[in-house]
Short mmCIF file of all heavy atoms in Angstrom, two decimals:
data_model
loop_
_atom_site.label_atom_id
_atom_site.label_comp_id
_atom_site.label_asym_id
_atom_site.label_seq_id
_atom_site.Cartn_x
_atom_site.Cartn_y
_atom_site.Cartn_z
N ASP A 247 7.67 10.38 2.65
CA ASP A 247 7.53 11.79 2.17
C ASP A 247 7.63 11.89 0.63
O ASP A 247 7.94 13.03 0.05
CB ASP A 247 8.77 12.63 2.80
CG ASP A 247 10.05 12.19 2.51
OD1 ASP A 247 10.14 11.13 1.68
OD2 ASP A 247 11.07 12.88 2.74
N ARG A 248 7.53 10.86 -0.11
CA ARG A 248 7.45 10.96 -1.56
C ARG A 248 6.63 9.80 -2.17
O ARG A 248 6.27 8.83 -1.48
CB ARG A 248 8.95 10.78 -2.05
CG ARG A 248 9.66 9.46 -1.72
CD ARG A 248 11.07 9.57 -1.90
NE ARG A 248 11.55 10.63 -1.05
CZ ARG A 248 12.93 10.74 -0.63
NH1 ARG A 248 13.70 9.94 -0.97
NH2 ARG A 248 13.25 11.69 0.23
N VAL A 249 6.35 9.94 -3.36
CA VAL A 249 5.48 9.05 -4.12
C VAL A 249 6.18 7.59 -4.35
O VAL A 249 7.37 7.60 -4.72
CB VAL A 249 5.13 9.55 -5.44
CG1 VAL A 249 4.32 8.62 -6.24
CG2 VAL A 249 4.37 10.90 -5.29
N PRO A 250 5.44 6.55 -4.08
CA PRO A 250 5.99 5.26 -4.23
C PRO A 250 6.41 4.99 -5.74
O PRO A 250 5.68 5.60 -6.63
CB PRO A 250 4.96 4.21 -3.96
CG PRO A 250 3.86 5.01 -3.19
CD PRO A 250 4.08 6.44 -3.47
N THR A 251 7.46 4.42 -6.04
CA THR A 251 7.83 4.13 -7.46
C THR A 251 6.91 3.08 -8.06
O THR A 251 6.65 3.11 -9.19
CB THR A 251 9.37 3.61 -7.40
OG1 THR A 251 10.16 4.55 -6.80
CG2 THR A 251 9.83 3.36 -8.80
N LEU A 252 6.58 2.17 -7.23
CA LEU A 252 5.79 1.00 -7.73
C LEU A 252 4.75 0.59 -6.62
O LEU A 252 5.09 0.64 -5.43
CB LEU A 252 6.67 -0.30 -8.02
CG LEU A 252 6.05 -1.40 -8.51
CD1 LEU A 252 5.42 -1.20 -9.88
CD2 LEU A 252 7.13 -2.49 -8.69
N ALA A 253 3.50 0.24 -6.95
CA ALA A 253 2.46 -0.29 -6.11
C ALA A 253 1.92 -1.56 -6.58
O ALA A 253 1.43 -1.60 -7.82
CB ALA A 253 1.34 0.72 -5.86
N LEU A 254 1.99 -2.59 -5.92
CA LEU A 254 1.35 -3.90 -6.21
C LEU A 254 0.39 -4.20 -5.29
O LEU A 254 0.40 -4.10 -4.11
CB LEU A 254 2.44 -4.93 -6.25
CG LEU A 254 3.74 -4.74 -7.10
CD1 LEU A 254 4.82 -5.77 -6.78
CD2 LEU A 254 3.43 -4.68 -8.53
N ALA A 255 -0.78 -4.75 -5.74
CA ALA A 255 -1.98 -5.12 -5.00
C ALA A 255 -2.50 -6.42 -5.32
O ALA A 255 -2.45 -6.86 -6.43
CB ALA A 255 -3.03 -4.12 -5.07
N ARG A 256 -2.94 -7.16 -4.29
CA ARG A 256 -3.57 -8.46 -4.63
C ARG A 256 -4.61 -8.82 -3.44
O ARG A 256 -4.45 -8.30 -2.31
CB ARG A 256 -2.57 -9.65 -4.65
CG ARG A 256 -2.11 -10.02 -3.31
CD ARG A 256 -1.02 -11.20 -3.51
NE ARG A 256 -0.90 -11.87 -2.14
CZ ARG A 256 -1.60 -12.90 -1.79
NH1 ARG A 256 -2.55 -13.42 -2.51
NH2 ARG A 256 -1.24 -13.52 -0.59
N VAL A 257 -5.61 -9.56 -3.80
CA VAL A 257 -6.65 -10.17 -2.85
C VAL A 257 -5.94 -11.36 -2.09
O VAL A 257 -5.48 -12.28 -2.86
CB VAL A 257 -7.97 -10.57 -3.60
CG1 VAL A 257 -8.82 -11.10 -2.56
CG2 VAL A 257 -8.48 -9.42 -4.33
N GLY A 258 -5.90 -11.31 -0.78
CA GLY A 258 -5.25 -12.34 -0.04
C GLY A 258 -6.11 -13.34 0.50
O GLY A 258 -5.67 -14.31 1.11
N THR A 259 -7.41 -13.24 0.27
CA THR A 259 -8.32 -14.22 0.79
C THR A 259 -8.64 -15.14 -0.35
O THR A 259 -9.18 -14.86 -1.31
CB THR A 259 -9.61 -13.53 1.29
OG1 THR A 259 -9.30 -12.61 2.28
CG2 THR A 259 -10.59 -14.66 1.91
N GLU A 260 -8.41 -16.52 -0.20
CA GLU A 260 -8.61 -17.52 -1.18
C GLU A 260 -10.07 -17.61 -1.46
O GLU A 260 -10.92 -17.76 -0.47
CB GLU A 260 -8.07 -18.83 -0.78
CG GLU A 260 -8.14 -19.88 -1.88
CD GLU A 260 -7.39 -21.17 -1.43
OE1 GLU A 260 -6.54 -21.15 -0.69
OE2 GLU A 260 -7.75 -22.17 -1.97
N GLY A 261 -10.54 -17.68 -2.63
CA GLY A 261 -11.95 -17.83 -3.01
C GLY A 261 -12.80 -16.65 -2.67
O GLY A 261 -14.09 -16.78 -2.52
N ALA A 262 -12.33 -15.46 -2.50
CA ALA A 262 -13.06 -14.32 -2.09
C ALA A 262 -13.86 -13.75 -3.13
O ALA A 262 -13.59 -13.97 -4.39
CB ALA A 262 -12.08 -13.32 -1.51
N ALA A 263 -14.87 -13.07 -2.84
CA ALA A 263 -15.84 -12.50 -3.88
C ALA A 263 -15.09 -11.27 -4.50
O ALA A 263 -15.49 -11.03 -5.65
CB ALA A 263 -16.99 -11.97 -3.20
N CYS A 264 -14.20 -10.63 -3.78
CA CYS A 264 -13.45 -9.54 -4.34
C CYS A 264 -12.47 -9.93 -5.43
O CYS A 264 -11.61 -10.78 -5.16
CB CYS A 264 -12.75 -8.72 -3.27
SG CYS A 264 -11.76 -7.40 -3.80
#
Side-chain angles (χ1 to χ4, degrees):
D247 64 353
R248 59 196 65 154
V249 177
T251 307
L252 181 64
L254 305 170
R256 74 175 200 94
V257 177
T259 306
E260 186 175 335
C264 176

